[in-house]
Amino acid sequence: MSGHVTLPDEQLAEQSSPGGVGVAVPSRGRVVARRFFGSWGGRAGFALLAVMFLAAFAGPLVYPWGYTDKDFTAFLTPPSPSHWFGTLQTGADVFAVTMRGMQKSLVVGLLAALVSTALAAIVGAFAGYFLGWTDRVLMWVADLLLVLPAFLILAVMSPLFAAGQWPLFVVMLALFLWMVTSKVVRGMTLSLKEREFILAARFMGVSPTRIVFRHVIPNLSSLLVVDATLNVSAAILTETGLSYFGFGIQPPDVSLGTLIADGSKTATYAPWTFWFAAGLLIVTVLAVNLIGDALRDAFDPSARRAR
Amino acid sequence: MSDPTHPGAPVLEVADLSVTFGSGPSAVRAVRGLNYEVRPGEVLGIVGESGSGKSVASMAVMGLLPPHARVSGSVKLLGTELLGASDKRLAAFRGRTISMVFQDPLSALTPVYRVGDQIAEALTVHQDLTRAEARKRAVELLDLVGIPHPAERATAFPHEFSGGMRQRAVIAMAIANDPDVIICDEPTTALDVTIQAQVLDVLRKAQRETGAAIVMITHDLGVVAGFVDRVLVMYAGRPVEIGSVDEVYYHPLMPYTMGLLGSVPRLDQGERGRLTPIDGNPPSPAALPPGCPFEPRCRLAVPECRLAEPPLRPVRHSRHLAACIRAGEIERGVVTTVPKLPEIPEEGEERPPRESRRVVLGVEDLVKHYPLTRGAVFKRRVGTVEAVAGVSFDLREGETLGLVGESGCGKTTTLMEILKLARPQGGRVVVLGRDISGLVAADRMSVRRDMQVVFQDPMSSLDPRMTVYDILAEPLRAHRVREPGPRVRDLLRLVGLEPEHAARYPQDFSGGQRQRIGIARALALEPRLVVLDEPVSALDVSIQAGVINLLEELKARLGLSYLFVAHDLSVVRHIADRVAVMYLGRIAEVGQVDRVYDTPMHPYTQALLSAVPLPDPVVERARRRILLEGDLPSPADPPSGCRFRTRCPLYKAIGETERLRCVHEEPRVRPMGGDHGAACHYAESLDVV
Ligand code: SF4
Ligand code: SF4
């Protein structure tokens, strides 16, 4: 069936290819980038995320209120020109704390997702490709982490995440997110390993590690991108959940999670304390999903090309 | 149009049948106006390559297409219109008046019911029989299609049957209700050649018993030659030539038919002629060229061909039709499609004799056993599969050795053992003078550089996520070649592709082009030995010929040696210098290709060669087949002594005392003159076939 779908592409390429000197071929990264930005979803998602990053990190620089400042003349006031998103019961400015919270959540969510997906891909692919002892040890570790009560451990460790220790938090979050995906990756690697192009690479003398990184993982990219997308949401939500119970990000620092937790108590009569943080969380997840979809198609040469 | 050989009214009439998938500009017109009829007892062959619409058309006749396919025209079975008939009406016909045999017998049998019960059910649906009667009849049918111990086998489940047995069971089911028409869609394509011969034999018998008309759909010109009365050639969804099998094969009138016939390698022709491939690729059904659909590939095309699609017209007489505006000229012999072929560059002057050339690959008593385990949690070893049980051969410089055999004979395992470059379980493998069991890492890399591989399936052997450039540069990078760019360009030119193709992905290419990319990759490091694992079996004949020519040309130009693993004996005869025939993990016969094919010594080789159908109706009808009985024994439990003895026709012919030797003593490959050898105790006593 693919025959008729691709023919127009083929003709297109025929007409647009430059006259036959040299073989100028863009690298895989460039091709993926071009295709990513060629799609509507990719551009929109990327723009959305960029704006949010900009607001989260540059916003506080120009905004008069800091996230620790309290305005003792305005408690729980609705949005106004002096307090864009209104204020909290404590007199803290909602815009300032939301931006601060978004900084943390974006960084924590994206990093934790990337780390966990990368871990899942590498562990799963190595276990599936090499089998034997590598497989047994790696899968034993995965099983162990699966049975450990992640939430409890993170809660117990929460004092360690105090002031400035958020990278540790990211690592811990990631550590509890990768296992299931790595098992899926391992299974897919097992079947991929039998494919002739992997055999061909092996018999060509390509080293096993290189095969894993150049053939196995790229061919699982659809799965991995989807997984990373889901993990961003999962990481942000786990962090939110932990923060809700008072673990996770510790005060005076804030995250979208702590804000939503606090705001939910006042949401009914002071909606601005809740909805700005919740809305931004939704927009973040949406942007990440758009990027994920576009990235998946960009990696997959058989996906319909954006024209 | 009355047929002198098959009188009577047509049982199945197909008129102006069209099938379209999708709608609007992306609509795919898979079948565009198909007309044919079959009379009682007649066999009609429909041939065409993949994508020609032949299978879709037969599904449409059976009413088995998915609802989104739009079907128009008329299909009349015994005068009753089938198109647009209600499901209930159709059900009354299906299986009773018209039945079908598919390529994959597993899809026709329900895995959870016993085979006998399924046949009995097919009977009771259409006939008034008691259960016991139906059972009894089912066993009779199984007996008719040659299933040994039919009463016992009737209680078996489909998965307990081998592929050939399943296809027999499906045929038994198809003839259960004495149908008037049997449609066979590639019934033997998935089977080995000796099993194919058995199944074709059963089909012939079934036809004799039922007097049914058969519509035989296949891509195999050999199968058609010996089996059918009339042939219909399809191209791009349309019939392009219809006629009696002899007329079409000996006096084709349509350039496409001529091209097809010219591109098949033949088992019975030893001379090293080049095959004549058809240029280009079949058109996509979504983007047909204007005018004659064959025009872009036709050697006889004239400007008028592009104006309108030529209709199917009677040419020689009313029963030989062709869709070509130049058919008349072809008939009168004014023009022909025989092209001037590029010469194969001569391989130096006289090659030095074989004995003085270097051995590039030596295999001695190679053994590979797999443990046979049972149980999911606690794996118990319950036996050993002797996939390769002591195989020896050698391949010398500038030579092509064909390794042939049916599935399960161990040829692929042998190949993998060689390619892995790891110490074999038993025996020795010497590649370019180096024993592979003693290789250190650096040596292994240099052996890899000299020995490359081309795989069967050109889709799965190229990483779909890489551009052609990256695919071709990979071996270069792995062996630390800087600046792969110029080399990639040269490689693409070498295999007949454009350097600009480098930026595309494998899926943008047709099967034949992909296989060329696979070959280019294998040649990237200038190897001396190329291992080819069924390199053309996934390709259509017209494309296959081009790839075979390319392989021969490259071998001569670059001084390569090939180890060519294949199940297609005709292709091997065409390309190989020597051939080794494998059976159940052992070599049955080995020798110079013309000697083995012309005077096969081993009973297995004889049966194998006699089972291959030839694309030549007269020869094919006159041929005597040596039909082997039964299936390949399990390699986990091979027969003692000679492994072929359970199926050997000679074993049955010799006396008690001679047989003892076959049972107790394993025959070794004995020289039969020159470098020809056969592993049979009584080989010399055989008449040459
Ligand atoms: S009509 Fe023209 S293009 Fe078509 S087959 Fe005949 S000669 Fe060739
Ligand atoms: S050794 Fe005996 S059983 Fe084997 S092939 Fe020869 S005759 Fe047949």
Side-chain angles (χ1 to χ4, degrees), chain A residues 207-232:
Chain A
S207 75
T209 325
R210 219 179 141 79
I211 291 179
V212 168
F213 284 107
R214 276 188 70 84
H215 293 286
V216 177
I217 294 182
N219 273 288
L220 300 175
S221 60
S222 306
L223 167 85
L224 295 176
V225 169
V226 172
D227 177 66
T229 316
L230 293 175
N231 275 346
V232 173

mmCIF file of all heavy atoms in Angstrom, chain A residues 207-232:
data_model
loop_
_atom_site.group_PDB
_atom_site.id
_atom_site.type_symbol
_atom_site.label_atom_id
_atom_site.label_comp_id
_atom_site.label_asym_id
_atom_site.label_seq_id
_atom_site.Cartn_x
_atom_site.Cartn_y
_atom_site.Cartn_z
ATOM 1 N N SER A 207 30.139 -2.001 15.844
ATOM 2 C CA SER A 207 30.234 -2.483 17.221
ATOM 3 C C SER A 207 28.851 -2.535 17.852
ATOM 4 O O SER A 207 27.969 -1.747 17.508
ATOM 5 C CB SER A 207 31.145 -1.582 18.033
ATOM 6 O OG SER A 207 30.468 -0.380 18.336
ATOM 7 N N PRO A 208 28.648 -3.467 18.799
ATOM 8 C CA PRO A 208 27.322 -3.658 19.397
ATOM 9 C C PRO A 208 26.764 -2.378 20.032
ATOM 10 O O PRO A 208 25.586 -2.064 19.858
ATOM 11 C CB PRO A 208 27.568 -4.722 20.464
ATOM 12 C CG PRO A 208 28.796 -5.420 20.041
ATOM 13 C CD PRO A 208 29.618 -4.445 19.281
ATOM 14 N N THR A 209 27.609 -1.635 20.740
ATOM 15 C CA THR A 209 27.130 -0.412 21.377
ATOM 16 C C THR A 209 26.624 0.557 20.317
ATOM 17 O O THR A 209 25.591 1.205 20.465
ATOM 18 C CB THR A 209 28.276 0.260 22.149
ATOM 19 O OG1 THR A 209 29.099 -0.761 22.682
ATOM 20 C CG2 THR A 209 27.744 1.138 23.245
ATOM 21 N N ARG A 210 27.360 0.640 19.246
ATOM 22 C CA ARG A 210 26.972 1.527 18.158
ATOM 23 C C ARG A 210 25.658 1.078 17.530
ATOM 24 O O ARG A 210 24.820 1.900 17.184
ATOM 25 C CB ARG A 210 28.081 1.491 17.107
ATOM 26 C CG ARG A 210 28.368 2.827 16.492
ATOM 27 C CD ARG A 210 29.501 2.651 15.501
ATOM 28 N NE ARG A 210 29.215 3.474 14.336
ATOM 29 C CZ ARG A 210 29.419 4.777 14.300
ATOM 30 N NH1 ARG A 210 29.892 5.399 15.349
ATOM 31 N NH2 ARG A 210 29.142 5.463 13.216
ATOM 32 N N ILE A 211 25.487 -0.216 17.412
ATOM 33 C CA ILE A 211 24.232 -0.728 16.843
ATOM 34 C C ILE A 211 23.077 -0.315 17.733
ATOM 35 O O ILE A 211 22.047 0.151 17.253
ATOM 36 C CB ILE A 211 24.281 -2.267 16.695
ATOM 37 C CG1 ILE A 211 25.274 -2.657 15.608
ATOM 38 C CG2 ILE A 211 22.889 -2.817 16.358
ATOM 39 C CD1 ILE A 211 25.424 -4.131 15.384
ATOM 40 N N VAL A 212 23.268 -0.440 19.051
ATOM 41 C CA VAL A 212 22.191 -0.065 19.979
ATOM 42 C C VAL A 212 21.837 1.406 19.785
ATOM 43 O O VAL A 212 20.664 1.763 19.670
ATOM 44 C CB VAL A 212 22.604 -0.345 21.436
ATOM 45 C CG1 VAL A 212 21.623 0.315 22.396
ATOM 46 C CG2 VAL A 212 22.654 -1.843 21.681
ATOM 47 N N PHE A 213 22.841 2.265 19.697
ATOM 48 C CA PHE A 213 22.543 3.691 19.615
ATOM 49 C C PHE A 213 22.124 4.148 18.227
ATOM 50 O O PHE A 213 21.365 5.091 18.087
ATOM 51 C CB PHE A 213 23.741 4.517 20.107
ATOM 52 C CG PHE A 213 23.857 4.508 21.601
ATOM 53 C CD1 PHE A 213 24.846 3.786 22.237
ATOM 54 C CD2 PHE A 213 22.921 5.184 22.382
ATOM 55 C CE1 PHE A 213 24.934 3.759 23.615
ATOM 56 C CE2 PHE A 213 23.006 5.153 23.764
ATOM 57 C CZ PHE A 213 24.012 4.447 24.378
ATOM 58 N N ARG A 214 22.637 3.494 17.193
ATOM 59 C CA ARG A 214 22.316 3.970 15.837
ATOM 60 C C ARG A 214 21.123 3.262 15.199
ATOM 61 O O ARG A 214 20.475 3.805 14.320
ATOM 62 C CB ARG A 214 23.529 3.810 14.923
ATOM 63 C CG ARG A 214 24.487 4.951 15.021
ATOM 64 C CD ARG A 214 25.557 4.827 13.969
ATOM 65 N NE ARG A 214 25.022 5.059 12.631
ATOM 66 C CZ ARG A 214 24.862 6.263 12.091
ATOM 67 N NH1 ARG A 214 25.170 7.331 12.782
ATOM 68 N NH2 ARG A 214 24.406 6.383 10.870
ATOM 69 N N HIS A 215 20.878 2.027 15.593
ATOM 70 C CA HIS A 215 19.794 1.285 14.941
ATOM 71 C C HIS A 215 18.641 0.976 15.883
ATOM 72 O O HIS A 215 17.492 1.173 15.539
ATOM 73 C CB HIS A 215 20.312 -0.022 14.348
ATOM 74 C CG HIS A 215 21.249 0.172 13.207
ATOM 75 N ND1 HIS A 215 20.821 0.558 11.967
ATOM 76 C CD2 HIS A 215 22.577 0.052 13.118
ATOM 77 C CE1 HIS A 215 21.860 0.659 11.159
ATOM 78 N NE2 HIS A 215 22.942 0.357 11.836
ATOM 79 N N VAL A 216 18.977 0.443 17.068
ATOM 80 C CA VAL A 216 17.896 -0.012 17.940
ATOM 81 C C VAL A 216 17.096 1.180 18.469
ATOM 82 O O VAL A 216 15.890 1.280 18.252
ATOM 83 C CB VAL A 216 18.450 -0.850 19.106
ATOM 84 C CG1 VAL A 216 17.318 -1.257 20.035
ATOM 85 C CG2 VAL A 216 19.156 -2.087 18.564
ATOM 86 N N ILE A 217 17.774 2.096 19.137
ATOM 87 C CA ILE A 217 17.040 3.197 19.782
ATOM 88 C C ILE A 217 16.317 4.082 18.758
ATOM 89 O O ILE A 217 15.142 4.378 18.944
ATOM 90 C CB ILE A 217 17.968 3.970 20.744
ATOM 91 C CG1 ILE A 217 18.358 3.021 21.889
ATOM 92 C CG2 ILE A 217 17.270 5.214 21.280
ATOM 93 C CD1 ILE A 217 19.225 3.617 22.948
ATOM 94 N N PRO A 218 16.956 4.489 17.658
ATOM 95 C CA PRO A 218 16.196 5.294 16.683
ATOM 96 C C PRO A 218 14.944 4.594 16.169
ATOM 97 O O PRO A 218 13.939 5.233 15.912
ATOM 98 C CB PRO A 218 17.191 5.518 15.552
ATOM 99 C CG PRO A 218 18.513 5.422 16.178
ATOM 100 C CD PRO A 218 18.375 4.411 17.270
ATOM 101 N N ASN A 219 14.992 3.278 16.060
ATOM 102 C CA ASN A 219 13.808 2.589 15.565
ATOM 103 C C ASN A 219 12.718 2.444 16.610
ATOM 104 O O ASN A 219 11.628 1.992 16.310
ATOM 105 C CB ASN A 219 14.185 1.224 14.993
ATOM 106 C CG ASN A 219 14.580 1.343 13.536
ATOM 107 O OD1 ASN A 219 13.731 1.558 12.682
ATOM 108 N ND2 ASN A 219 15.859 1.276 13.269
ATOM 109 N N LEU A 220 13.056 2.796 17.838
ATOM 110 C CA LEU A 220 12.027 2.787 18.873
ATOM 111 C C LEU A 220 11.590 4.211 19.183
ATOM 112 O O LEU A 220 10.902 4.458 20.169
ATOM 113 C CB LEU A 220 12.568 2.124 20.141
ATOM 114 C CG LEU A 220 13.011 0.675 19.967
ATOM 115 C CD1 LEU A 220 13.633 0.151 21.239
ATOM 116 C CD2 LEU A 220 11.825 -0.185 19.578
ATOM 117 N N SER A 221 12.019 5.160 18.350
ATOM 118 C CA SER A 221 11.812 6.563 18.718
ATOM 119 C C SER A 221 10.342 6.923 18.892
ATOM 120 O O SER A 221 10.015 7.730 19.750
ATOM 121 C CB SER A 221 12.480 7.479 17.704
ATOM 122 O OG SER A 221 11.931 7.259 16.449
ATOM 123 N N SER A 222 9.470 6.303 18.104
ATOM 124 C CA SER A 222 8.053 6.642 18.264
ATOM 125 C C SER A 222 7.607 6.345 19.689
ATOM 126 O O SER A 222 7.015 7.179 20.364
ATOM 127 C CB SER A 222 7.192 5.828 17.313
ATOM 128 O OG SER A 222 7.650 5.980 16.013
ATOM 129 N N LEU A 223 7.924 5.150 20.119
ATOM 130 C CA LEU A 223 7.559 4.748 21.475
ATOM 131 C C LEU A 223 8.194 5.681 22.498
ATOM 132 O O LEU A 223 7.548 6.137 23.443
ATOM 133 C CB LEU A 223 8.036 3.319 21.720
ATOM 134 C CG LEU A 223 8.000 2.878 23.176
ATOM 135 C CD1 LEU A 223 6.628 2.368 23.516
ATOM 136 C CD2 LEU A 223 9.052 1.841 23.483
ATOM 137 N N LEU A 224 9.464 5.969 22.301
ATOM 138 C CA LEU A 224 10.188 6.753 23.301
ATOM 139 C C LEU A 224 9.658 8.170 23.383
ATOM 140 O O LEU A 224 9.548 8.732 24.476
ATOM 141 C CB LEU A 224 11.688 6.758 22.965
ATOM 142 C CG LEU A 224 12.336 5.379 23.067
ATOM 143 C CD1 LEU A 224 13.779 5.428 22.620
ATOM 144 C CD2 LEU A 224 12.241 4.848 24.491
ATOM 145 N N VAL A 225 9.344 8.748 22.233
ATOM 146 C CA VAL A 225 8.836 10.123 22.264
ATOM 147 C C VAL A 225 7.486 10.169 22.978
ATOM 148 O O VAL A 225 7.243 11.019 23.827
ATOM 149 C CB VAL A 225 8.725 10.680 20.827
ATOM 150 C CG1 VAL A 225 7.948 11.979 20.841
ATOM 151 C CG2 VAL A 225 10.103 10.893 20.247
ATOM 152 N N VAL A 226 6.631 9.211 22.661
ATOM 153 C CA VAL A 226 5.335 9.161 23.339
ATOM 154 C C VAL A 226 5.551 8.989 24.837
ATOM 155 O O VAL A 226 4.923 9.653 25.663
ATOM 156 C CB VAL A 226 4.485 7.992 22.785
ATOM 157 C CG1 VAL A 226 3.233 7.810 23.623
ATOM 158 C CG2 VAL A 226 4.117 8.249 21.345
ATOM 159 N N ASP A 227 6.481 8.104 25.170
ATOM 160 C CA ASP A 227 6.757 7.844 26.578
ATOM 161 C C ASP A 227 7.264 9.091 27.276
ATOM 162 O O ASP A 227 6.824 9.435 28.367
ATOM 163 C CB ASP A 227 7.792 6.722 26.672
ATOM 164 C CG ASP A 227 8.175 6.447 28.105
ATOM 165 O OD1 ASP A 227 7.300 5.992 28.853
ATOM 166 O OD2 ASP A 227 9.322 6.731 28.484
ATOM 167 N N ALA A 228 8.183 9.810 26.624
ATOM 168 C CA ALA A 228 8.722 11.028 27.239
ATOM 169 C C ALA A 228 7.605 12.041 27.449
ATOM 170 O O ALA A 228 7.530 12.691 28.494
ATOM 171 C CB ALA A 228 9.825 11.611 26.356
ATOM 172 N N THR A 229 6.726 12.159 26.454
ATOM 173 C CA THR A 229 5.621 13.102 26.570
ATOM 174 C C THR A 229 4.763 12.779 27.791
ATOM 175 O O THR A 229 4.421 13.653 28.587
ATOM 176 C CB THR A 229 4.741 13.013 25.314
ATOM 177 O OG1 THR A 229 5.587 12.969 24.183
ATOM 178 C CG2 THR A 229 3.825 14.189 25.220
ATOM 179 N N LEU A 230 4.453 11.499 27.910
ATOM 180 C CA LEU A 230 3.641 11.095 29.056
ATOM 181 C C LEU A 230 4.394 11.324 30.356
ATOM 182 O O LEU A 230 3.813 11.704 31.371
ATOM 183 C CB LEU A 230 3.258 9.620 28.937
ATOM 184 C CG LEU A 230 2.304 9.289 27.796
ATOM 185 C CD1 LEU A 230 2.092 7.796 27.702
ATOM 186 C CD2 LEU A 230 0.976 10.004 28.009
ATOM 187 N N ASN A 231 5.703 11.081 30.306
ATOM 188 C CA ASN A 231 6.495 11.228 31.520
ATOM 189 C C ASN A 231 6.548 12.667 32.009
ATOM 190 O O ASN A 231 6.648 12.912 33.209
ATOM 191 C CB ASN A 231 7.918 10.716 31.293
ATOM 192 C CG ASN A 231 7.986 9.221 31.514
ATOM 193 O OD1 ASN A 231 7.056 8.635 32.070
ATOM 194 N ND2 ASN A 231 9.070 8.604 31.085
ATOM 195 N N VAL A 232 6.523 13.622 31.070
ATOM 196 C CA VAL A 232 6.517 15.027 31.501
ATOM 197 C C VAL A 232 5.293 15.260 32.380
ATOM 198 O O VAL A 232 5.395 15.765 33.494
ATOM 199 C CB VAL A 232 6.499 15.978 30.294
ATOM 200 C CG1 VAL A 232 6.330 17.415 30.753
ATOM 201 C CG2 VAL A 232 7.775 15.831 29.492
#
